[in-house]
Amino acid sequence: GHECSLLVSFVNLQDLQAKLDAGSSTLGAPDGILINGKGPFGTFITLDQGKTYRLRICNVGIATSLNFRIAQHKLTVVETEGSHTQQNTYDNLDIHVGQCYSVLVALKQTAADYYMVASSRFITPVLNGIGVIHYSNSGSKVSGPLPPGPTTEINYSVNQAEPSGNYSSINHTMYFDCM
């Protein structure tokens, strides 16, 4: 399998330390969203068309929920917090502080490059971390608008994962940590 890390959510530690030293009890919003510790388009992951990948996505940020999506690809949740879940499929997935999910992503689209986006959730302005999933046989560059983000509906977020399921169609594994 493959192993990767996604670092999502960036807070200026010096500013945070100053706030806490001044007695503030609020952490505030992140200063930006990073994927793999890199700013927009800094993360470029090459994968093979026709294969299914298991992505392990964790929000290790300190205060902000995130939404993760890959343009034109479905995310099938197969594990939450180390437990099997009902295999629900989504266009995007909310990941709250401290949560981890495993999702299956089948690379069945036309050979191309696709946006991978992590967005802040329930804060304004919405911050985006942008990476690229590159099909190994693609000759094109990513283009067009970002895949649409989540709505403001809270119930969408709350009802995403439920217990039970199986891993019968996994043929590759990748690990993502979101900060």
Side-chain angles (χ1 to χ4, degrees):
H2 300 278
E3 292 188 24
C4 295
S5 293
L6 286 184
L7 307 178
V8 182
S9 188
F10 169 71
V11 174
N12 181 311
L13 294 178
Q14 291 156 336
D15 290 348
L16 177 60
Q17 182 68 47
K19 273 185 180 179
L20 295 174
D21 288 346
S24 176
S25 61
T26 60
L27 299 174
D31 294 313
I33 304 293
L34 304 177
I35 296 179
N36 247 9
K38 299 174 183 168
F41 303 102
T43 299
F44 189 87
I45 300 171
T46 300
L47 304 174
D48 296 325
Q49 185 178 30
K51 293 184 179 178
T52 298
Y53 289 84
R54 176 182 175 230
L55 310 180
R56 177 103 169 116
I57 308 166
C58 299
N59 180 351
V60 294
I62 59 173
T64 304
S65 294
L66 300 169
N67 180 271
F68 181 80
R69 56 204 180 273
I70 299 171
Q72 299 178 36
H73 289 77
K74 301 288 186 183
L75 307 172
T76 301
V77 176
V78 295
E79 176 263 332
T80 302
E81 302 298 325
S83 298
H84 296 280
T85 64
Q86 180 176 334
Q87 292 189 6
N88 293 321
T89 302
Y90 303 98
D91 293 321
N92 60 75
L93 182 65
D94 280 358
I95 306 164
H96 304 287
V97 174
Q99 285 187 319
C100 294
Y101 290 99
S102 286
V103 299
L104 299 180
V105 178
L107 274 61
K108 300 190 267 185
Q109 302 302 325
T110 303
D113 288 3
Y114 295 90
Y115 289 115
M116 173 175 53
V117 182
S119 298
S120 59
R121 191 81 158 93
F122 311 120
I123 64 168
T124 54
V126 172
L127 304 172
N128 291 309
I130 305 165
V132 176
I133 297 291
H134 170 75
Y135 279 40
S136 60
N137 57 340
S138 170
S140 66
K141 300 285 184 198
V142 70
S143 64
L146 295 177
T151 67
T152 58
E153 183 182 354
I154 293 173
N155 285 340
Y156 174 83
S157 183
V158 172
N159 295 320
Q160 285 185 332
E162 298 175 11
S164 87
N166 68 60
Y167 291 94
S168 62
S169 62
I170 300 170
N171 62 21
H172 291 276
T173 301
M174 298 183 79
Y175 296 94
F176 291 82
D177 294 323
C178 299
M179 291 183 188

